[in-house]
Each structure stands twice: as C-alpha cells, then as structure tokens.
Amino acid sequence: MAPPSSFGDKVFKWLTLAMALAVVALVFLVGWQLARGSSLAIRRFGFHFLATSTWDPVAEQFGALPFIYGTAVSSLIALIIAVPLSIATAVYLTELAPPWIRQPIISLIEMLAAIPSVILGLWGIFVMIPWLRDHPFPFLKKIFGWTPFFREPIYGVSMLAGGIIIAVMILPIITSVSREILRSVPNLQREAAYALGATRWEVTRIAVLSYAKKGLFGAVILGLGRALGETMAVTMVIGNTPQIRASLFAPGYTLASVIANEFTEATTDLYLQALFEIGLVLFGITILANLLAQLLLKTLGSTIKSGAVQ
Amino acid sequence: MESAAIIDPPMITPVSLPQQQVTSDSGSADVAPERPHAFAVERLSIFYGEKKAIEDVTLTIPSKMITAIIGPSGCGKSTLLRSLNRMHELVPNTRIEGKVLFAGKDIYAPEVDPVVIRRRIGMVFQKSNPFPTMSIAENVLVGLKLNGVRDRAFLRERLEQSLRMAALWDEVKDDLHKPGISLSGGQQQRLCIARAVAVEPEVLLMDEPASALDPIATAKIEELIHELSSNYTVVIVTHNMQQAGRCSDYTAFLYLGRLIEFASTTKIFTNPSERQTEDYITGRFG
Ligand SMILES: Nc1ncnc2c1ncn2[C@@H]1O[C@H](COP(=O)(O)OP(=O)(O)OP(=O)(O)O)[C@@H](O)[C@H]1O
Ligand SMILES: [Mg+2]
C-alpha cells in the first residue's frame, strides 16, 4: 500500500489538474455557446460578416467590420496613451520617487481603478468631451490637420475620446502590475549598474527595464485584454456610429458597445444571432491577442531562456 | 599597464611621504609608506538611520596593493567598503561623519558627483550579478558604452583585454554572444570582474567575491586578484582568514564597527599588536 503522503500527493495532483481543465473547459464552453447562438448568422453571412461594413437591422444586413475596426483602433489609442504613462509612473514610483510621495500616488491610482465604469462614462460626457472639444482637439487639428487622422469636423464624441477613456480605465492595472514587476527586480542588478558609474536613468534602463521587459510586456497585454472588452464608458463617449473613418475625430463603434446597446432591441432572430456573432468575434480577438502575446514572449524570451540553466 | 597619472602626486597626503615612517595617525602607522595612498579615511562614522555601523575609523589604504578587511559578521566590513565609492548611500537614510579622501580629495564633498566616483572606483559583489538580458560581450562592455564609447575596434580590443585580465578569455572566446548567465557561477563572477575592469577604474572594491564559490573557482579568483594588484588598488572584504592571509598585503581588522588594528598582513597574522586581533585570528571568537 502506498504511504499516506504519496496518496495525498496524488489527490493534490488530480485535484489541481481537474481545476486547470475546468478553466480550459469553461473557455471552450463559452466559445461553443457563442458559436451555437450565432449559427444562423454564420451560415447566412459566412466570411462576409467579418468583411462588410453595412449594419442595417431593418434590411437584415449585418457586417461586423466597423465594430472590429472600432475595437482595434480605440484599444490601440488607449495603449498608445496608457502604456508610456503607466510604465513611466511605475518607474517613477519604484526607482525615483521619494518615499513620502509614493503612498499618496499609489492610493490615487487605486482609487481611479475603483471608479465604476458608468461614472467614468458620465464624467467623460460632461467634463472630458466638452474640454477635449474646446482645447486639445482644435490644437491637434491645427498641428496634425494635414494627416488624414485629424482632419474631419470635431463633434466631441469620437474614436479618439473613446480611446482616451479606455486609456484612463486601463492605466491603473498596467501601472500596478508594472510596479510589482519592477519591484521584483533584484537590488543586486541595480547595484551592478551603479557600480559601473551609471546614473539613475542609466540604471533604470540597463538594469531595471531590460531585466523586467518580459514582465512589463505581460502587464501591457493584461491592459490590452481590458481595453478590448471595455464597454460602458466607451459606449458613452465613442459616438456609436458604425463607420470606418480615418479621422479619429469621427464617431465610431466597438464590438462590446454594439452588443450592450442593441441587445434589448434585437427583435428578429437573425439580428440577435448577429449580435451573438459579434460576441464570438470579440471573444476570438481577445483569445487571439493573448495567444499572439504568448508567442511573442516565447520568441522574446528564448534568447534568455536558452542560457538560464547552468 | 602604467597608470601613474591616476593618482595625482601633488594630492598625496603628507602621511605617505617616504620620510615619515611613523605618524601620530594610529590607523596608518603600520603602513610602509613607500607607495602613495589611494584612500585616506579620516574619523569616519556611518549611520543607518540611528544605528551606528562604523565608528570613528581612521586608516589609509595604499595604492596598487591589496588591502583586506576582516572581522566577524555584522562588524561593518561591507559598510566600510561600500563607503569608499558611496555605494552605501543607495540604502535610504544613511549618514556619514568624517572624511574619505580619494587621491587627496574628499569624495563626500558637496560638489562631488557619486556617479563620477563610481566610475573611478569599481565594485565586485558577493553574488555574481551579470545582466541577464546581455551577452557575455555586452556585459563586459556595458560600462564603456555608458561612457559613450562607440569605436568598434576599441571595444573589441577592450573586450579581449578585460576578459584576459579576468582570466576568462580562453574559456569564453568562442561564446562571446551567449548570454552572460549561461556561464558557471565562478565564470560569472570572473565575468563581473571583467565588467568592472573594462572601464579601467583606479580601484576595485570586492565584497566577499569568492564566498559563493567552490575551492577551485576560489583559487582562480584569488590568483586573479593577485594579478590585478599590479594595476589596481584592491580592497577586499573576506570572511575567510586564510584568504586574507594568502592574498592581501595589508589587513584591517574590524570589530563592532571599530577598527581594531590595521597593519601589514604578515604582522596581523604573525604578531598582532592587539589582543582582540589575536583572538580573532586564532579563532577564539567570531
Ligand atoms: N541596509 C541596512 N539598514 C540598516 N542597518 C544595516 C543595513 N546594512 C547593514 N546594517 C547594519 O550595519 C552593521 C554592519 O553591517 P555590514 O553589512 O557592514 O556587516 P558585515 O561586516 O559586512 O557583515 P557580513 O560579514 O555578515 O557581511 C550591521 O549591524 C547591520 O545590522
Ligand atoms: Mg558583508
């Protein structure tokens, strides 16, 4: 008979395996349900669903392209704004800030994370958008008006406003995860750089950021996951117009927003199925983004990993 | 390699002039002063917050020789060593009293930039710490690149020279692009030594550089330290009395933050002046 400890090990092993499988099963289940819920639409539109831009429930014409575009662009804008800000904040907090200033900043960022999405959306409508419309947008137009991205008339609600509000929403998570990652860089690494006569910035660059870059990339991907699925606040400021425009001042629409907005009014079967398919697409994009990120991490890390074992 | 210009002759402290064999300065009295001093530590006290880790230490460290700092754990060896290039300041709330003169100038004077000091005074740590994302070559050259050196031929030459100096060249010359952390523990430590010497510092500070290594790797490092001393002033902290005896010219014995005795290694190990030194050397405590 096996001694009790080995029996315990076995139970533990199977239990953890079961848990892990349950998570995987859950993901597949969600995917399968979404696919089943949209089977009619999938059969009806096929690949065209992803490639056409008409969203006309009355004529029962459904194309997801503007929403895919809207989700991609608004998330991209959010990342472009939030990633440098968050990582810079995290670097400041771990490497540069005097101790007394750290806690207040950290608390503030945590508070930002605690604001409900809908409240942030209200703030977006009543404070952010009027301000954007009056000051930064005209300024951007004046400077970059020659590019297609900042050309059209300014309404306020826009792809850019959507991206900015998502940036606000993902900033806390990227910052706090990055901060943890930077804190986990061994002090010995910093000392190695200091001993070579590196300045603080050089220490941060050669000893801290390069050591932490994989982890920081993970933090960004976490932020991207949030950005893709962010719904409420974006819906309130992006303009909810299914169109593909180069101009970031033009209103847009995201996958998540269209589901939230139109689910209750989807009166026909096909309409509901189309919305389900939108959900499936969003689900697919999120998973794809994560897989790609992991692949990227692998190739990024392989140069280091190959030598990690002595 | 001749580097006479490194220590500015007019700045040599009077205690190091050949005529003055003995001075009132008790810390340096035993040092045969035919060589200029690299450091003159004057009445140095170091505090971590309220805690006094080093108390009123005065000694002079001779140039281009090996000075060992020994003493029981927690007596302040690392603190004293790290105060020589202001590394201890990385711990918040440290404070010093007294002076550390390097080449005659106080490195704690308000106008002195610690970054400049650390460029001139390199350091090797107890645990090897190559940069994990960098190759062997990049690790060695990172200091020079920080200094803005871009000349390929020069870098290439310095790479080989530094690795040779660290007695590592023959082992890694075909793997220069492999990651630094792919080396063994002892090799990694020698890589860190190569990295430190690549920027041509005037002094190398070493904090128990061999304590994590096996006897063979340790012997290699000791031999290396010995060779380095023809070009560099070396200050080494060690727990290992045999090591201090084997590879240093001068030895400082610290106890509870105070300098008990500082003299030539031969004297410390054969005929120490202080009772406490003798007790420690003979293993009666510590
Ligand atoms: N970061 C720190 N904060 C507060 N006190 C410290 C710190 N580092 C060291 N000390 C204190 O200073 C004293 C001297 O420490 P130090 O590390 O210099 O000793 P050491 O002789 O190098 O010991 P060891 O041989 O164990 O390395 C110790 O009493 C220690 O508690
Ligand atoms: Mg120590």
Side-chain angles (χ1 to χ4, degrees), chain B residues 89-228:
Chain B
E89 288 178 351
L90 300 179
V91 176
N93 296 321
T94 51
R95 186 163 63 79
I96 73 143
E97 282 167 8
K99 281 183 184 167
V100 176
L101 303 183
F102 173 57
K105 295 195 182 94
D106 186 1
I107 63 170
Y108 287 94
E111 72 277 7
V112 174
D113 182 355
V115 166
V116 176
I117 293 297
R118 294 182 197 127
R119 274 193 192 163
R120 298 174 67 189
I121 307 172
M123 190 157 203
V124 175
F125 300 84
Q126 179 168 2
K127 212 164 154 273
S128 63
N129 53 359
F131 296 118
T133 55
M134 296 185 193
S135 69
I136 292 171
E138 286 167 337
N139 261 292
V140 175
L141 297 175
V142 62
L144 287 172
K145 290 199 177 138
L146 282 182
N147 288 338
V149 179
R150 289 285 172 277
D151 180 350
R152 287 269 184 110
F154 177 79
L155 287 173
R156 173 79 217 173
E157 189 183 310
R158 185 62 70 78
L159 173 65
E160 177 171 346
Q161 184 192 342
S162 309
L163 284 169
R164 279 192 192 283
M165 234 184 261
L168 191 59
W169 174 253
D170 291 329
E171 290 158 66
V172 303
K173 61 172 184 272
D174 299 322
D175 303 323
L176 293 172
H177 296 289
K178 285 205 180 149
I181 49 170
S182 65
L183 299 172
S184 76
Q187 288 174 324
Q188 284 190 28
Q189 190 61 305
R190 279 179 282 147
L191 178 62
C192 292
I193 293 174
R195 180 177 65 187
V197 299
V199 292
E200 300 211 299
E202 294 150 53
V203 179
L204 274 181
L205 307 177
M206 301 184 158
D207 194 346
E208 306 192 37
S211 67
L213 305 178
D214 65 64
I216 294 173
T218 302
K220 267 208 170 117
I221 299 275
E222 282 178 11
E223 196 185 314
L224 175 58
I225 291 168
H226 191 76
E227 272 159 31
L228 288 172

Side-chain angles (χ1 to χ4, degrees), chain B residues 19-36:
Chain B
Q19 309 88 302
Q20 281 174 284
Q21 281 292 336
V22 178
T23 70
S24 56
D25 189 346
S26 66
S28 61
D30 289 314
V31 180
E34 68 269 14
R35 283 179 182 264

Side-chain angles (χ1 to χ4, degrees), chain A residues 57-201:
Chain A
V58 182
E60 296 217 309
Q61 282 305 310
F62 298 104
L65 198 57
F67 308 106
I68 297 174
Y69 176 80
T71 294
V73 172
S74 61
S75 298
L76 191 71
I77 294 171
L79 285 186
I80 288 171
I81 297 169
V83 168
L85 259 176
S86 318
I87 294 185
T89 309
V91 166
Y92 177 71
L93 287 172
T94 48
E95 307 297 319
L96 305 170
W100 60 268
I101 212 172
R102 285 180 197 180
Q103 202 48 53
I105 297 183
I106 292 167
S107 304
L108 263 162
I109 293 170
E110 276 165 6
M111 257 153 70
L112 188 60
I115 299 175
S117 183
V118 66
I119 306 286
L120 207 63
L122 280 178
W123 173 82
I125 293 172
F126 291 110
V127 182
M128 187 185 81
I129 290 210
W131 180 74
L132 285 176
R133 192 177 47 211
D134 293 345
H135 303 288
F137 281 9
F139 177 76
L140 281 172
K141 192 166 180 170
K142 215 166 85 189
I143 309 253
F144 297 110
W146 53 275
T147 65
F149 307 114
F150 300 98
R151 201 171 275 158
E152 291 182 28
I154 296 167
Y155 307 108
V157 291
S158 57
M159 193 71 101
L160 191 51
I164 291 171
I165 208 108
I166 299 176
V168 175
M169 304 216 59
I170 63 176
L171 208 126
I173 177 86
I174 305 183
T175 306
S176 56
V177 174
S178 303
R179 199 170 70 85
E180 283 311 315
I181 301 226
L182 294 180
R183 266 154 46 114
S184 71
V185 174
N187 244 334
L188 207 58
Q189 287 289 318
R190 294 186 179 87
E191 291 193 340
Y194 273 118
L196 291 170
T199 61
R200 268 194 184 199
W201 161 239

Side-chain angles (χ1 to χ4, degrees), chain A residues 239-261:
Chain A
N240 300 334
T241 314
Q243 57 180 3
I244 296 177
R245 293 290 191 78
S247 173
L248 302 179
F249 293 146
Y253 220 155
T254 69
L255 292 162
S257 302
V258 72
I259 297 174
N261 270 341

Side-chain angles (χ1 to χ4, degrees), chain A residues 44-57:
Chain A
R44 171 84 173 268
F45 303 114
F47 182 71
H48 286 288
F49 187 77
L50 300 177
T52 55
S53 304
T54 324
W55 184 264
D56 186 349

Side-chain angles (χ1 to χ4, degrees), chain B residues 48 51 53 71-80 91 126 208 237 239:
Chain B
Y48 291 108
K51 187 183 158 46
S73 185
C75 70
K77 303 182 294 294
S78 300
T79 305
L80 178 61
V91 176
Q126 179 168 2
E208 306 192 37
V237 165
H239 246 115

